[in-house]
């Protein structure tokens, strides 16, 4: 209980949460009704049946199949606003101070929803979170790696005004990892680096893919952060590289357990990373699907690792240092 309060009060930053992954049954079914969305026949019909699916994913793809159907209930700017605002409120109650949130515009554009609707709705929630909750926020647009690189380039072109106005701050890469390695998206990342050099570049790597997915994300996409990165531990050279360059990994413990990246959270290479000096943060990924928001993820790590107060302070500090915020904001949080 003492540790619970300590972890609650620790100044936490989140770097890996998909806003569409905060859509739980309690909002999904009402939105489907409100927007007259006919969910597919195979989609669970009740909150309990849907929750059962959430508790029994086989792997990443099994989750993604449900995730893309789930997001089909999001139609209006207000839907996107409501979703993100509910997340910020929950995260604020968990003691979150800074959030870098992913979104997947291609999952909406292919259903006929405009980039404007998505970005405006999410931005409105970000602005409200900054004004009313004191949370600083960044929006990171992710490209879906199961779609062609050209689709990614088209999406970047659609988002250009929002990058220019400073309403989107990063580029990420997500969805099915193993069949779609980072090298496929080299052109997309090169375009961003050339035309929007201030934008944060990150990519999911080493969740199901091996260490070479991480090396190639660093070498070819020139990312400065790695989302997940669990499989870095299989390559000692890579561990040294991450430590030398102080490249932060955004670890998602409950996600890794639910998607069977590990069989037990105790298997995560947390002690090895700490010993080697690899910075990492602790994140919720898709909290509505994996059964826990940011504090639950901190608590899940604590229950398996029993870390001491100074180690937790180091983890929190690394999260602040690795955040995409000005030094003045870092000073406030440290
Ligand atoms: N999209 C949402 N969550 C994801 C994850 N953990 N890995 C890849 N793509 C995702
Ligand atoms: Zn993710």
């Amino acid at each position: 209980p003492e540790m619970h309060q300590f972890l609650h009060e620790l100044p936490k930053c989140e770097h890996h949460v998909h806003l569409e992954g905060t859509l739980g049954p309690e909002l999904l079914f009402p939105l489907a009704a409100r927007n007259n969305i006919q969910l597919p026949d195979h989609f669970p019909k009740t909150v309990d049946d849907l929750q059962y699916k959430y508790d029994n994913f086989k792997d990443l793809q099994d989750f993604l199949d449900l995730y893309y159907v789930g997001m089909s209930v999001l139609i209006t700017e207000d839907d996107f606003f409501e979703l993100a605002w509910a997340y910020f409120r929950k995260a604020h109650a968990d003691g979150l101070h800074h959030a870098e949130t992913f979104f997947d515009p291609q999952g909406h554009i292919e259903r006929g929803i405009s980039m404007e609707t998505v970005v405006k709705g999410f931005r409105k929630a970000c602005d409200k979170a900054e004004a009313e909750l004191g949370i600083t926020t960044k929006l990171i647009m992710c490209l879906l790696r199961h779609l062609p690189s050209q689709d990614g380039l088209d999406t970047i072109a659609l988002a250009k005004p929002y990058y220019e106005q400073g309403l989107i701050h990063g580029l990420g890469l997500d969805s099915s990892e193993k069949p779609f390695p980072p090298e496929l998206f080299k052109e997309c990342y090169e375009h961003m680096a050339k035309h929007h050099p201030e934008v944060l570049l990150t990519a999911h790597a080493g969740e199901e893919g091996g260490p070479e997915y991480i090396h190639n994300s660093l070498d070819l996409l020139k990312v400065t952060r790695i989302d997940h990165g669990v499989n870095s531990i299989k390559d000692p050279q890579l561990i040294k590289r991450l430590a030398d360059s102080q490249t932060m990994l955004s670890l998602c413990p409950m996600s890794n357990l639910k998607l069977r990246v590990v069989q037990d959270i105790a298997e995560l290479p947390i002690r090895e990373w700490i010993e080697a000096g690899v910075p990492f943060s602790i994140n919720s990924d898709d909290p509505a699907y994996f059964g826990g928001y940011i504090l639950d993820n901190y608590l899940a790590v604590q229950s398996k690792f029993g870390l001491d107060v100074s180690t937790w302070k180091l983890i929190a500090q690394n999260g602040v240092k690795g955040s995409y915020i000005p030094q003045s904001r870092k000073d406030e949080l440290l």
Side-chain angles (χ1 to χ4, degrees):
E2 224 170 87
M3 209 57 192
H4 187 293
Q5 185 171 349
F6 169 76
L7 292 174
H8 185 259
E9 288 170 3
L10 200 63
K12 289 173 290 299
C13 300
E14 181 147 60
H15 309 106
H16 189 155
V17 56
H18 303 261
L19 289 172
E20 296 90 343
T22 68
L23 178 58
E26 76 293 342
L27 185 59
L28 195 155
F29 286 115
L31 280 181
R34 183 164 106 191
N35 290 325
N36 271 312
I37 303 293
Q38 183 80 43
L39 291 161
D41 285 343
H42 63 81
F43 199 85
K45 298 285 176 289
T46 66
V47 171
D48 284 353
D49 288 352
L50 187 54
Q51 192 58 51
Y52 180 83
K53 289 282 284 182
Y54 286 9
D55 292 337
N56 292 280
F57 294 122
K58 286 201 302 285
D59 56 16
L60 174 59
Q61 192 58 51
D62 191 33
F63 152 71
L64 289 170
D65 291 343
L66 201 68
Y67 170 80
Y68 294 120
V69 176
M71 68 172 74
S72 71
V73 305
L74 298 163
I75 305 291
T76 68
E77 185 181 316
D78 229 39
D79 298 342
F80 291 95
F81 164 76
E82 254 185 64
L83 178 67
W85 177 239
Y87 159 72
F88 286 124
R89 288 178 47 170
K90 284 190 192 114
H92 180 251
D94 269 3
L96 186 78
H97 292 262
H98 174 67
E100 300 184 10
T101 58
F102 295 136
F103 70 111
D104 286 324
Q106 287 157 301
H108 310 300
I109 288 165
E110 68 183 5
R111 304 182 288 110
I113 311 297
S114 73
M115 180 72 87
E116 185 184 3
T117 299
V118 178
V119 176
K120 274 198 176 166
F122 283 153
R123 265 316 323 165
K124 199 170 146 200
C126 289
D127 293 345
K128 193 170 163 84
E130 303 224 354
E132 295 182 16
L133 307 175
I135 296 177
T136 40
T137 67
K138 297 282 175 191
L139 272 182
I140 302 176
M141 178 177 93
C142 285
L143 299 179
L144 298 178
R145 61 205 310 159
H146 66 268
L147 296 177
S149 156
Q150 184 57 51
D151 212 289
L153 288 169
D154 295 346
T155 306
I156 289 171
L158 278 178
K160 193 174 176 65
Y162 305 101
Y163 279 113
E164 285 175 346
Q165 293 166 59
L167 300 176
I168 310 179
H169 306 96
L171 181 73
L173 184 62
D174 62 1
S175 190
S176 325
E177 183 179 8
K178 265 191 149 170
F180 306 104
E183 47 270 31
L184 295 173
F185 296 90
K186 189 163 182 278
E187 218 184 318
C188 297
Y189 279 75
E190 280 176 351
H191 179 97
M192 283 310 281
K194 184 166 167 202
H195 297 282
H196 307 279
E198 72 293 351
V199 163
L200 171 86
L201 301 180
T202 187
H204 283 51
E207 180 184 22
E208 290 191 338
E212 69 280 11
Y213 282 67
I214 301 175
H215 277 298
N216 288 337
S217 299
L218 295 167
D219 291 333
L220 304 174
L221 308 185
K222 310 267 192 255
V223 299
T224 56
R225 181 186 292 173
I226 293 290
D227 300 312
H228 289 297
V230 176
N231 287 333
S232 62
I233 200 63
K234 295 175 179 166
D235 178 352
Q237 293 290 350
L238 177 56
I239 291 294
K240 181 165 186 321
R241 177 179 188 178
L242 295 169
D244 287 348
S245 59
Q246 287 294 289
T247 303
M248 187 176 72
L249 310 175
S250 64
L251 175 69
C252 306
M254 295 177 77
S255 164
N256 293 158
L257 179 68
K258 287 296 179 93
L259 300 186
R260 307 189 193 218
V261 169
V262 291
Q263 301 315 306
D264 192 311
I265 285 174
E267 290 169 28
L268 290 168
I270 285 179
R271 288 201 192 276
E272 291 85 343
W273 285 336
I274 292 170
E275 225 151 88
V278 175
F280 64 89
S281 61
I282 295 176
N283 306 275
S284 66
D285 202 4
D286 302 285
Y289 289 83
F290 304 143
Y293 285 77
I294 187 159
L295 182 57
D296 300 308
N297 276 275
Y298 274 64
L299 291 167
V301 167
Q302 181 58 6
S303 79
K304 295 293 178 173
F305 287 88
L307 304 176
D308 59 23
V309 163
S310 65
T311 304
W312 275 114
K313 287 186 175 164
L314 175 72
I315 292 171
Q317 277 169 11
N318 283 336
V320 172
K321 281 188 199 155
S323 291
Y324 191 45
I325 42 176
Q327 189 59 44
S328 56
R329 177 63 173 154
K330 290 185 185 181
D331 293 341
E332 273 174 23
L333 295 176
L334 281 169

